[in-house]
Amino acid sequence: GVDRDITKRKETEVEIINALAKEKQLGELKSRFITMKSHEFRTPLTTIYSSAELLEHYGTKWSEYKINNHLHRIQNMVQHMTRLLNDILLIGKVESGKIELKLTPIDLESFCTDLIYQIQLNDRNYHTIKFTYSLEKFENKLGSNHGRNNAASSFSSARPYMDEKLLRQILENLLSNALKYSPKGSTVEIKLTCSANQAIFKISDQGIGIPEEDQGLLFETFYRGTNVGTITGTGLGLAIVKKCLDIYQGQIDLESEVTVGTTFTVTLPIYYVLSN
């Protein structure tokens, strides 16, 4: 009999299979990107061109209101394209490791209130965003050098530290999606609960829901649910959320039922510095 060691050959075969699978995945990713890019850029560019052409030919005959209406359309489309490009650039920065966690002092309640206000300014479907904020007691959770009474008395002076840029990306994308996929005039809820070591955000909507077969793929770049229909989107929002959470070492959970609504629960580590 002849013994032959084929370990290296098998390892090479596995490497080739993995390389081919990765190449196929990249090919599919590029294909989805090209499809998304052509659609998402063509629509605003068509709107910009149409409004500019109408202003050129009829601007001198129109009322100031009608002129301003077309100017606003152009501005809105430019902002839309800018946001899309920023999302693509952010994905690239994250994947190349150019974004790091940077913790700074933050007033979480004010931060959330301001973010909600900004999002509602751009909401044209008259949604209501309901925000609730609660704090758990710090008792015996601030360190071994703090007794129960000392910890409780220091609670009001504890300053939370978080990465504001990453937090903004996470909440902004989740809230924007909640509004986008919810009926006109419906309510979206965001609940924030803070403890000594984590912040938990719950974003709930009364929207179209996410089919069970889509839920495991939602955080892939350019992936969109099979039931979105004609609702526009790029498939970048949840991918950005997941990548920001990976940097933050946070967690996201999903509960959803088609035609009933969706709840995303985001859990982030939070750090406190006690003021003297």
Side-chain angles (χ1 to χ4, degrees), residues 64-246:
E64 184 178 353
Y65 172 80
K66 198 167 185 178
I67 291 172
N68 286 335
N69 187 41
H70 280 276
L71 289 174
H72 290 154
R73 288 181 68 193
I74 292 172
Q75 291 169 354
N76 288 336
M77 291 301 101
V78 170
Q79 289 174 355
H80 171 75
M81 293 173 69
T82 301
R83 285 193 298 270
L84 177 57
L85 287 171
N86 286 338
D87 286 346
I88 294 171
L89 289 172
L90 180 63
I91 290 281
K93 285 181 180 180
V94 171
E95 291 183 345
S96 62
K98 293 182 178 179
I99 296 181
E100 297 179 351
L101 190 66
K102 294 180 180 178
L103 301 176
T104 56
I106 185 172
D107 182 332
L108 273 175
E109 186 173 13
S110 295
F111 174 85
C112 290
T113 302
D114 291 343
L115 179 62
I116 290 168
Y117 175 75
Q118 292 168 17
I119 290 175
Q120 284 199 301
L121 283 178
N122 296 317
D123 180 28
R124 297 291 179 266
N125 289 317
Y126 308 104
H127 294 100
T128 298
I129 302 179
K130 183 181 177 182
F131 174 55
T132 55
Y133 177 52
S134 61
L135 292 166
E136 293 181 358
K137 292 184 178 181
F138 271 34
E139 295 176 352
N140 287 333
K141 295 180 181 180
L142 290 175
S144 58
N145 294 328
H146 295 272
R148 176 181 294 268
N149 293 333
N150 192 23
S153 63
S154 300
F155 179 76
S156 61
S157 62
R159 302 181 66 195
Y161 276 63
M162 299 189 78
D163 188 312
E164 186 172 324
K165 288 184 179 180
L166 290 180
L167 181 60
R168 181 176 295 277
Q169 287 290 342
I170 293 167
L171 296 181
E172 197 171 66
N173 278 292
L174 289 175
L175 281 171
S176 296
N177 272 2
L179 295 178
K180 183 193 298 185
Y181 297 110
S182 294
K184 184 176 181 179
S186 62
T187 298
V188 170
E189 291 188 67
I190 172 169
K191 297 180 180 179
L192 168 59
T193 304
C194 291
S195 67
N197 55 11
Q198 64 184 16
I200 300 174
F201 300 85
K202 281 194 174 185
I203 295 96
S204 304
D205 65 52
Q206 303 167 8
I208 62 174
I210 303 166
E212 188 174 349
E213 61 270 22
D214 290 331
Q215 293 181 17
L217 302 169
L218 277 181
F219 299 103
E220 292 188 6
T221 308
F222 303 124
Y223 187 86
R224 302 193 71 210
T226 53
N227 64 331
V228 297
T230 58
I231 302 173
T232 60
T234 62
L236 289 173
L238 289 179
I240 289 173
V241 168
K242 185 63 172 65
K243 291 182 184 299
C244 289
L245 283 168
D246 289 343

Side-chain angles (χ1 to χ4, degrees), residues 42-53 70 73-74 77:
R42 185 185 294 117
T43 301
L45 284 172
T46 301
T47 302
I48 291 170
Y49 181 82
S50 173
S51 290
E53 191 175 39
H70 280 276
R73 288 181 68 193
I74 292 172
M77 291 301 101

